[in-house]
């Protein structure tokens, strides 16, 4: 794919420079295509388009919710028609196995649009409240304005629509900045937006690097920022938005614990264990990569996860049989291999993996790796690796398991594994994390998703996700 234009203001426009972002295949390192690299002038143009679309009387924010919902449903249909193209594009770029890309990148964005379209049509835009001690007040929900959305490379379309769908439903306009590592799918998105008849300037897309993102985040024409990415970058964005008093949602890193209770049936949930820990080759912020095992069953848990990792099919991301594909880039592979080296140096016991798979010399592959006998204070247990590497730490009793699970700077997700649902709920409620699952985990579109501690600020999805793109006005009547 060779794209020479940017999608801004409802049109394919000439970029301000001839600079390009070239994307390579994660599976073989060969070029996949190129798109223009947006610069500050392109961001300015996109924000102006979004600002105009928001501020013009009778525009998108002033449409009745049912009319906006109808446009969102058209966009959902267009995305459905391109689901295979989107999935293949993402899989080729970031190494996500095509089976996962089809289930997530190819399907979930349309689900999100349909959910938030229906939610918006059923959510009153204002309500009357009896005042105390007298009078009445009309409480109005208004769209927050122009939203800057910083997209990520690991789930580029799904996580983008965590923001795009509720923002559109609320009546906001957007400027999206795709990540350079996975940008070709944004062209497919732009084509869908154009064909769906979304009004000019409501959705604008400017690919670029960190400088482009920084300019967008601090642009005076932006009213709100929605970011998913690393904690380090999230801190910088939070600082910038704090200085500007600009609302921001930050969904950041994770190092989630899988608390395996002593009554867990491992074999009955083997598929769920694999998905919870190895989804997208471990390039998943909510992955349960920190396994906590009861000492009474420690050897069994180690053997189970060693077999799970060692038996996984590693290969080309576009092969339907692949369970573990390559990492997104050579840089990411070097990062993961660095952590594997630190694990060895810290004295953890490597039970499987730790190297590059034989026969896959091209591409950015790392073997699924298990470390046992891991001290929870070690780097590989405390820091986000973002690859197919799991650590296993023993615990004495339930209280000890909860203590270790909470002994982390992160608090995004997690899992509890048990044959007793009530016991699982009791343990889950004690883990200080934004989301958690019993015998498996995926974010639920209808429920709030987000982290505590270094895992971020704010919530996405569910009614809470819609409200985060609205602001309130109270009109008092004596």
């Amino acid at each position: 794919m060779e794209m020479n234009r940017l999608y801004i203001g409802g049109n394919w426009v000439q970029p301000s420079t001839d600079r390009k972002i070239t994307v390579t295949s994660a599976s073989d390192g060969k070029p996949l295509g190129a798109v223009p690299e947006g610069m500050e002038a392109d961001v300015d143009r996109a924000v102006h388009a979004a600002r105009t679309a928001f501020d013009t009387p009778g525009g998108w924010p002033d449409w009745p919710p049912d009319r906006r919902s109808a446009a969102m449903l058209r966009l959902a249909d267009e995305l459905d028609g391109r689901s295979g193209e989107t999935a293949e594009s993402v899989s080729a770029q970031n190494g996500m196995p095509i089976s996962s890309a089809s289930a997530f990148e190819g399907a979930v964005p349309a689900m999100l649009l349909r959910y938030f379209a229906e939610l918006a049509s059923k959510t009153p835009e204002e309500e009357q409240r009896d005042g105390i001690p007298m009078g009445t007040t009309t409480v109005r929900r208004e769209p927050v304005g122009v939203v800057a959305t910083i997209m990520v490379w690991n789930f580029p379309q799904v996580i983008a629509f965590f923001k795009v769908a509720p923002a559109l439903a609320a009546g906001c306009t957007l400027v999206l900045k795709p990540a350079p590592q996975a940008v070709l799918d944004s062209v497919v998105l732009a084509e869908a937006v154009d064909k769906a008849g979304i009004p000019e300037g409501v959705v604008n897309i400017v690919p670029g690097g960190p400088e482009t993102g920084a300019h967008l985040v601090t642009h005076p024409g932006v009213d709100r920022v929605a970011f998913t990415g690393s904690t380090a970058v999230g801190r910088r964005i939070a600082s910038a938005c704090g200085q500007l008093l600009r609302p921001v949602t930050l969904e950041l890193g994770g190092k989630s614990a899988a608390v395996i209770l002593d009554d867990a049936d491992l074999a009955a949930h083997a598929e769920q264990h694999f998905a919870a820990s190895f989804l997208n080759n471990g390039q998943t912020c909510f992955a349960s990569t920190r396994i906590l095992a009861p000492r009474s069953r420690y050897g069994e848990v180690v053997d189970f996860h060693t077999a799970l990792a060692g038996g996984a099919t590693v290969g080309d991301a576009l092969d339907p049989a692949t369970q573990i594909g390559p990492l997104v880039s050579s840089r990411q592979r070097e990062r993961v291999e660095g952590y594997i080296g630190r694990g060895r140096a810290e004295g953890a016991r490597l039970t499987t993996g730790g190297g590059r798979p034989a026969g896959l010399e091209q591409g950015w592959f790392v073997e699924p790796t298990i470390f046992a006998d891991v001290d929870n204070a070690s780097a590989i247990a405390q820091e986000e690796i973002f690859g197919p590497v799991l650590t296993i730490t023993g615990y004495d009793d339930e209280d000890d398991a909860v203590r270790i699970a909470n002994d982390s700077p992160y608090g995004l997700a997690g899992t509890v594994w048990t044959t007793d649902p009530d016991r699982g709920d009791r343990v889950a409620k004690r883990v200080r994390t934004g989301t958690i699952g019993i015998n498996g985990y995926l974010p639920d579109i209808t429920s709030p998703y987000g982290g505590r501690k270094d895992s971020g600020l704010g919530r996405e999805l569910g009614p809470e996700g819609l409200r985060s793109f609205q602001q309130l006005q109270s009109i008092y009547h004596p």
Side-chain angles (χ1 to χ4, degrees):
M1 177 186 291
E2 290 290 334
M3 177 57 64
N4 298 312
R5 306 272 178 168
L6 296 172
Y7 188 73
I8 296 175
N11 296 288
W12 295 97
V13 303
Q14 190 74 29
S16 62
T17 73
D18 59 1
R19 293 179 60 172
K20 289 290 190 74
I21 297 172
T22 299
V23 182
T24 58
S25 164
S27 292
D28 61 19
K30 296 178 181 178
L32 292 170
V35 301
E37 180 178 3
M39 309 304 289
E40 289 189 2
D42 303 302
V43 171
D44 293 343
R45 187 174 182 178
V47 173
H48 176 75
R51 186 84 264 162
T52 300
F54 186 83
D55 291 337
T56 299
W60 182 258
D62 295 328
W63 284 18
D66 287 348
R67 187 181 178 192
R68 286 201 302 268
S69 295
M72 292 172 64
L73 294 178
R74 292 197 303 273
L75 178 55
D77 290 342
E78 292 294 333
L79 290 175
D80 276 342
R82 295 166 172 79
S83 61
E85 185 179 1
T86 298
E88 289 184 9
S89 176
V90 171
S91 181
Q93 292 174 98
N94 72 4
M96 182 187 297
I98 188 64
S99 58
S100 296
S102 298
F104 293 97
E105 295 294 288
V108 173
M111 292 182 192
L112 287 161
L113 284 166
R114 293 188 175 103
Y115 169 74
F116 280 106
E118 181 179 9
L119 184 64
S121 67
K122 293 180 178 179
T123 302
E125 292 188 309
E126 59 182 51
E127 61 179 275
Q128 301 295 323
R129 299 183 185 177
D130 293 332
I132 298 177
M134 64 183 66
T136 61
T137 297
T138 302
V139 179
R140 302 179 62 246
R141 298 179 179 86
E142 302 177 317
V144 73
V146 175
V147 177
T149 299
I150 311 298
M151 299 166 67
V152 290
W153 54 259
N154 61 327
F155 287 85
Q157 290 300 310
V158 169
I159 294 179
F161 274 87
F162 277 21
K163 302 147 181 54
V164 172
L168 290 177
C172 299
T173 60
L174 299 112
V175 179
L176 282 65
K177 190 204 79 68
Q181 299 92 331
V183 70
L184 301 182
D185 50 286
S186 70
V187 177
V188 182
L189 168 60
E191 292 171 347
V193 169
D194 194 47
K195 189 66 180 295
I198 303 298
E200 294 181 359
V202 172
V203 177
N204 309 272
I205 303 175
V206 183
E211 297 82 7
T212 304
H215 185 63
L216 175 60
V217 164
T218 59
H219 198 287
V222 166
D223 298 301
R224 189 186 189 287
V225 175
F227 171 75
T228 296
S230 72
T231 298
V233 175
R235 291 186 192 280
R236 294 198 291 271
I237 290 175
S239 178
C241 289
Q243 289 293 322
L244 294 166
L245 299 180
R246 180 167 294 170
V248 60
T249 300
L250 303 170
E251 194 269 281
L252 307 177
K255 191 71 177 181
S256 300
V259 181
I260 299 177
L261 298 179
D262 55 17
D263 66 343
D265 187 339
L266 299 177
H269 298 106
E271 185 176 340
Q272 291 88 343
H273 275 284
F274 188 89
S277 297
F278 284 118
L279 179 64
N280 193 17
N281 319 323
Q283 297 177 138
T284 303
C285 51
F286 58 74
S288 291
T289 55
R290 195 164 47 108
I291 313 299
L292 307 187
R295 298 200 188 279
S296 61
R297 298 181 62 187
Y298 189 80
E300 179 188 354
V301 171
V302 171
D303 290 345
F304 172 80
H305 284 88
T306 298
L308 202 67
T313 300
V314 181
D316 189 304
L318 292 172
D319 185 339
T322 292
Q323 295 174 289
I324 297 288
L327 300 181
V328 67
S329 64
S330 59
R331 179 179 178 181
Q332 183 63 18
R333 180 169 67 176
E334 289 172 2
R335 170 186 165 85
V336 171
E337 290 177 331
Y339 274 107
I340 291 173
R342 291 177 73 177
R344 293 176 187 268
E346 290 172 337
R349 174 164 58 96
L350 184 69
T351 69
T352 190
R356 299 181 182 182
L360 293 170
E361 286 72 26
Q362 295 181 314
W364 319 123
F365 294 91
V366 172
E367 293 175 323
T369 299
I370 304 293
F371 279 109
D373 305 338
V374 176
D375 186 333
N376 192 59
S378 65
I380 60 171
Q382 288 290 307
E383 299 178 19
E384 187 174 38
I385 298 175
F386 227 58
V389 180
L390 308 186
T391 66
I392 305 179
T393 300
Y395 68 83
D396 296 323
D397 54 26
E398 196 172 290
D399 289 341
D400 194 35
V402 171
R403 178 190 64 78
I404 297 171
N406 289 331
D407 183 16
S408 169
Y410 296 106
L412 180 58
T415 48
V416 179
W417 304 85
T418 178
T419 54
D420 183 344
D422 291 336
R423 184 185 182 196
D425 281 342
R426 290 196 301 271
V427 172
K429 289 173 182 176
R430 298 177 63 193
V431 180
R432 292 192 291 272
T433 185
T435 59
I436 194 166
I438 311 297
N439 295 331
Y441 176 78
L442 280 175
D444 173 11
I445 287 174
T446 71
S447 303
Y449 171 76
R452 303 180 186 180
K453 299 185 281 187
D454 286 0
S455 289
L457 297 171
R459 292 295 183 266
E460 299 179 311
L461 304 182
E464 295 80 4
L466 177 62
R467 286 198 289 269
S468 72
F469 290 96
Q470 296 172 323
Q471 56 187 350
L472 300 176
Q473 182 188 39
S474 295
I475 303 175
Y476 175 70
H477 304 273

